[in-house]
Amino acid sequence: MNPADRVSAFQEALPYLQRFRGSTFVIKYGGSAMEDEARVDAVLRDVVLLEAVGINPVLVHGGGKAITRALQQEGVGSHFIDGLRVTGADAIAAIDRTLAREIGPGIARRIQALGGKAEALSGKEVLRARKLAYRKDGKAVDLGFVGDVTRVVAPPLRRRVAAEVVPVISPLAVGRKGGIYNINADTAACEVAVALRAEKLIYLTDVNGVLRDAADPASTIPALDPAAVARLKAEGVIAGGMIPKVDGAVGALERGVGKVHFLNGGTPHALLLEIFTDAGIGTEFHL
């Protein structure tokens, strides 16, 4: 970029910086973007930049591959049903340790090393849940210690946001009787965004948003509203595992979240390109 191009980029970003200053963005961070060291630093550097310009990022992280490795080390197998990890009593303690003691604190330390302020929070501190009642093909399926979020305890999150500290939340929750539940990270991020009345809920995924043609990564649909979602589901464009993700996005909008974005977390500076440029790079959901 020559100097004029750099100035033009700043000018393009200016109205977005003005509009979103003071807003809360909930970012779900997971998938392959968490497995590559260079990608991790790139994503977290952008999170630090968001905080530096007056936006309040709240991070909800996954950790599927790290959990699988931890369970393997303890001789516990991994079994999934429709993308949900079946979580037995022999697995929940290892998942708790991996998420709340390893991944979350590690992300917070890296944000701090990049000049930001962050604090790892176990989801047990802010999420309440009951056992997920799951059905497949009309039959009840026992997923073990997998939970359905019933409440978000928002004050601890709001205090950290007010102090300009990035909360880094693991997808765990506590039940009414004190039991620990494993929560789908997409669901946890959605519930946190609704509770905080977030301006944006951003999912960093492994694909370039919602694709018109699943075989063509360049066929990203830039914007969708609920009517367009219904039409694309009927046409089979939105299908399979994308259906619950998209339904969750629409549900978040209907419950007060400003906009929802699906981005490829492996794209360099995906967050900045989506938020601060006119074109964007992912799929934006809006009412």
Short mmCIF file of all heavy atoms in Angstrom, two decimals, residues 3 20 23 56 72 102 106 126 134 154 175 185 259 276:
data_model
loop_
_atom_site.label_atom_id
_atom_site.label_comp_id
_atom_site.label_asym_id
_atom_site.label_seq_id
_atom_site.Cartn_x
_atom_site.Cartn_y
_atom_site.Cartn_z
N PRO A 3 1.17 5.51 0.59
CA PRO A 3 0.60 6.35 1.65
C PRO A 3 -0.85 6.75 1.41
O PRO A 3 -1.65 6.80 2.35
CB PRO A 3 1.53 7.57 1.66
CG PRO A 3 2.84 7.03 1.19
CD PRO A 3 2.49 5.99 0.15
N PHE A 20 -19.36 2.42 16.43
CA PHE A 20 -19.29 1.29 17.35
C PHE A 20 -18.55 1.58 18.64
O PHE A 20 -18.46 0.71 19.50
CB PHE A 20 -18.64 0.09 16.65
CG PHE A 20 -19.45 -0.43 15.49
CD1 PHE A 20 -18.84 -0.66 14.26
CD2 PHE A 20 -20.80 -0.68 15.61
CE1 PHE A 20 -19.58 -1.14 13.18
CE2 PHE A 20 -21.55 -1.14 14.55
CZ PHE A 20 -20.93 -1.37 13.33
N SER A 23 -19.62 0.11 22.05
CA SER A 23 -20.47 -1.07 21.83
C SER A 23 -19.79 -2.34 22.33
O SER A 23 -18.57 -2.42 22.42
CB SER A 23 -20.78 -1.22 20.33
OG SER A 23 -21.48 -0.11 19.84
N ASN A 56 -15.92 -2.90 23.05
CA ASN A 56 -15.79 -3.83 24.18
C ASN A 56 -15.91 -5.27 23.70
O ASN A 56 -17.03 -5.79 23.58
CB ASN A 56 -16.87 -3.53 25.22
CG ASN A 56 -16.83 -2.11 25.71
OD1 ASN A 56 -15.78 -1.59 26.06
ND2 ASN A 56 -17.98 -1.44 25.71
N GLN A 72 -7.81 -38.27 25.29
CA GLN A 72 -6.99 -39.39 24.82
C GLN A 72 -5.89 -39.72 25.82
O GLN A 72 -5.59 -40.89 26.08
CB GLN A 72 -6.38 -39.05 23.46
CG GLN A 72 -7.37 -39.08 22.31
CD GLN A 72 -6.76 -38.61 21.00
OE1 GLN A 72 -5.73 -37.92 20.98
NE2 GLN A 72 -7.39 -38.96 19.88
N GLU A 102 -6.43 -24.29 31.14
CA GLU A 102 -5.41 -24.29 30.10
C GLU A 102 -5.76 -23.30 28.99
O GLU A 102 -5.03 -22.32 28.76
CB GLU A 102 -5.28 -25.70 29.51
CG GLU A 102 -4.28 -25.82 28.38
CD GLU A 102 -4.25 -27.21 27.77
OE1 GLU A 102 -4.58 -28.19 28.48
OE2 GLU A 102 -3.90 -27.31 26.58
N GLY A 106 -4.62 -19.30 28.85
CA GLY A 106 -3.63 -19.13 27.79
C GLY A 106 -4.01 -18.00 26.84
O GLY A 106 -3.16 -17.19 26.44
N VAL A 126 -20.44 -17.67 35.30
CA VAL A 126 -21.44 -16.77 34.70
C VAL A 126 -22.57 -17.49 33.97
O VAL A 126 -23.54 -16.85 33.56
CB VAL A 126 -20.76 -15.77 33.73
CG1 VAL A 126 -19.85 -14.83 34.49
CG2 VAL A 126 -19.99 -16.50 32.63
N TYR A 134 -32.11 -33.88 24.58
CA TYR A 134 -31.83 -33.94 23.14
C TYR A 134 -32.58 -35.09 22.50
O TYR A 134 -32.67 -36.18 23.08
CB TYR A 134 -30.32 -34.10 22.90
CG TYR A 134 -29.91 -33.80 21.49
CD1 TYR A 134 -29.84 -32.49 21.04
CD2 TYR A 134 -29.61 -34.83 20.61
CE1 TYR A 134 -29.47 -32.20 19.74
CE2 TYR A 134 -29.23 -34.55 19.30
CZ TYR A 134 -29.17 -33.24 18.88
OH TYR A 134 -28.81 -32.96 17.58
N ALA A 154 -24.89 -11.84 34.38
CA ALA A 154 -24.23 -10.78 33.60
C ALA A 154 -23.38 -9.80 34.40
O ALA A 154 -22.40 -9.27 33.85
CB ALA A 154 -25.28 -10.02 32.79
N GLY A 175 -25.16 -26.42 37.10
CA GLY A 175 -26.57 -26.73 37.23
C GLY A 175 -27.13 -26.34 38.58
O GLY A 175 -26.40 -25.88 39.47
N ALA A 185 -20.11 -24.20 22.46
CA ALA A 185 -19.56 -22.84 22.52
C ALA A 185 -20.38 -21.86 21.69
O ALA A 185 -20.49 -20.68 22.06
CB ALA A 185 -18.11 -22.86 22.05
N LYS A 259 -26.51 -7.35 15.22
CA LYS A 259 -26.23 -8.11 14.01
C LYS A 259 -25.37 -9.32 14.38
O LYS A 259 -24.68 -9.33 15.40
CB LYS A 259 -25.51 -7.26 12.96
CG LYS A 259 -26.41 -6.18 12.35
CD LYS A 259 -25.71 -5.42 11.24
CE LYS A 259 -26.66 -4.38 10.63
NZ LYS A 259 -25.97 -3.58 9.58
N PHE A 276 -14.78 -2.95 9.74
CA PHE A 276 -14.34 -1.60 9.41
C PHE A 276 -14.24 -1.31 7.91
O PHE A 276 -13.67 -0.28 7.53
CB PHE A 276 -12.98 -1.31 10.07
CG PHE A 276 -13.02 -1.33 11.56
CD1 PHE A 276 -12.09 -2.07 12.28
CD2 PHE A 276 -13.99 -0.63 12.27
CE1 PHE A 276 -12.12 -2.09 13.67
CE2 PHE A 276 -14.03 -0.64 13.65
CZ PHE A 276 -13.09 -1.37 14.36
#
